[in-house]
Amino acid sequence: MACHLLIPAAGSGKRMGADCNKLLLPLLGKPILQWTLEAAIASKSIAWIGVMGQPHDYPEFQKIFNEISQLKPIRLIQGGESRQASVFNGLQALPADCDRVLIHDGARCLATPELFDRCDASLQTMQGFIAAVPVKDTIKVVNGLTIVDTPNRDQLWAAQTPQGFQLELLKNAHLTALEQSWEVTDDAALLEKVGLAVQIVMGEETNLKVTTPQDLAIAEFILKQRHN
Ligand code: CTP
Ligand code: MG
């Protein structure tokens, strides 16, 4: 069975400093969210897409949906106060025949269709995974401004999305989080907290999360190179 994809897109983009949701900002003439959706639509393995947004962005999101090929159903789902709450809402809106789900940040607009396909293939055998890349910098653990540890770099990976899970496992982890008031920044952390193994799928160096104006400039550079 083909895979279902949820795209959290209900943030405000504070760190971008724009006066709208950063996902609506233009990147080479197209909104960031449109790039993300086009990659997901081009992926062979995704059959259904749910986009979590804030109601005030619905008209702009709808315009984007109208711009792109409607080869796959795209459903608009109301987002929440946090990314975690937005994903929770998305999980409730999945069709009944869904048994595994990919989650991919709207802000990671450079992920390729091949990455989605690789992720879906991994989910055939894994209970949960995240796309990630080995870190290049040496990472320091700091208290105040004093270094307290230098973890071995061989064991450090930078988390990306897509992340993917068997649906029941992720739903249960989200319910436990709600009961226990856990707040996390990605879905893998919830499975880790309930003691389930989450694996790594090799991500892409260029799969950055557009967060600041500098990221937007870098994303533009990468896309120009790709389309040359
Ligand atoms: N997101 C969401 N619902 C929220 C907050 C964030 O669906 N309540 C989404 C964002 O739209 C984004 C992804 O989660 O696609 C990753 O979040 P982030 O990069 O932090 O985006 P923002 O929260 O919008 O940015 P900032 O933290 O700078 O405000
Ligand atoms: Mg945020």
Side-chain angles (χ1 to χ4, degrees), residues 74-143:
I74 304 179
R75 163 118 193 249
L76 201 45
I77 301 160
Q78 182 158 349
E81 289 272 296
S82 63
R83 182 188 183 281
Q84 185 177 333
S86 294
V87 172
F88 183 88
N89 290 357
L91 293 174
Q92 314 314 310
L94 287 166
D97 65 344
C98 171
D99 60 359
R100 60 186 200 278
V101 63
L102 293 182
I103 297 165
H104 180 64
D105 286 338
R108 289 193 189 267
C109 55
L110 300 182
T112 64
E114 293 73 31
L115 177 60
F116 285 107
D117 292 338
R118 197 159 70 242
C119 287
D120 178 57
S122 305
L123 203 49
Q124 315 279 345
T125 57
M126 294 174 180
Q127 59 185 10
F129 78 87
I130 69 169
V133 290
V135 302
K136 289 181 287 190
D137 295 320
T138 296
I139 306 288
K140 302 289 185 185
V141 181
V142 173
N143 186 0

Side-chain angles (χ1 to χ4, degrees), residues 7-17 21-23 52-54 79-87 104-108 185 209-211:
I7 300 184
S12 55
K14 269 199 219 88
R15 286 169 287 178
M16 183 61 75
N21 182 348
K22 66 184 175 183
L23 300 186
M52 287 81 86
Q54 299 295 350
E81 289 272 296
S82 63
R83 182 188 183 281
Q84 185 177 333
S86 294
V87 172
H104 180 64
D105 286 338
R108 289 193 189 267
T185 53
K209 182 160 71 69
V210 177
T211 307

